[in-house]
Amino acid sequence: MVWVVQEKEFHWFIFQEGEYHRQKPDEAGYLKSYNFSGLCLDVKALLDGQIQKVLLVLPQGIEPKNISSFWKIYSTALRTSQKLELIPD
């Protein structure tokens, strides 16, 4: 993720087939995570400084299994000092 503050731009890159690709917002203007289904970012709200709206949209649709999976990977990485690697759905 890259937030270019002065230009009022936000870029979310995904790693596919050995290369980074800039993700395009969906029809609602949201960028969505490939690692956690349902995790969305309202780019317009972010760039307009509407943090409350960003926080309302952010968790929409997140399934409990994805949160549980993330915390399991994260806590294991912390305990073992391993690099945190997320595997896309």
Side-chain angles (χ1 to χ4, degrees):
M1 291 183 224
V2 178
W3 189 349
V4 188
V5 178
Q6 293 203 355
E7 284 80 13
K8 292 192 88 176
E9 296 177 0
F10 189 89
H11 309 290
W12 190 328
F13 293 90
I14 55 173
F15 190 71
Q16 290 179 324
E17 300 175 4
E19 295 182 11
Y20 286 96
H21 300 274
R22 186 170 161 193
Q23 189 179 13
K24 295 187 189 320
D26 66 8
E27 54 280 344
Y30 300 159
L31 291 173
K32 297 185 177 182
S33 173
Y34 282 80
N35 290 317
F36 301 103
S37 298
L39 183 67
C40 337
L41 181 65
D42 184 334
V43 177
K44 183 174 178 349
L46 178 71
L47 296 176
D48 289 344
Q50 299 175 344
I51 302 306
Q52 291 292 350
K53 185 174 180 189
V54 172
L55 295 175
L56 285 173
V57 170
L58 193 65
Q60 286 182 2
I62 294 178
E63 298 175 22
K65 68 177 180 137
N66 295 325
I67 294 170
S68 174
S69 173
F70 170 77
W71 285 116
K72 182 177 180 181
I73 294 167
Y74 182 72
S75 63
T76 300
L78 285 177
R79 281 195 316 274
T80 61
S81 299
Q82 293 177 357
K83 180 180 173 188
L84 178 62
E85 286 190 37
L86 300 175
I87 311 295
D89 294 340

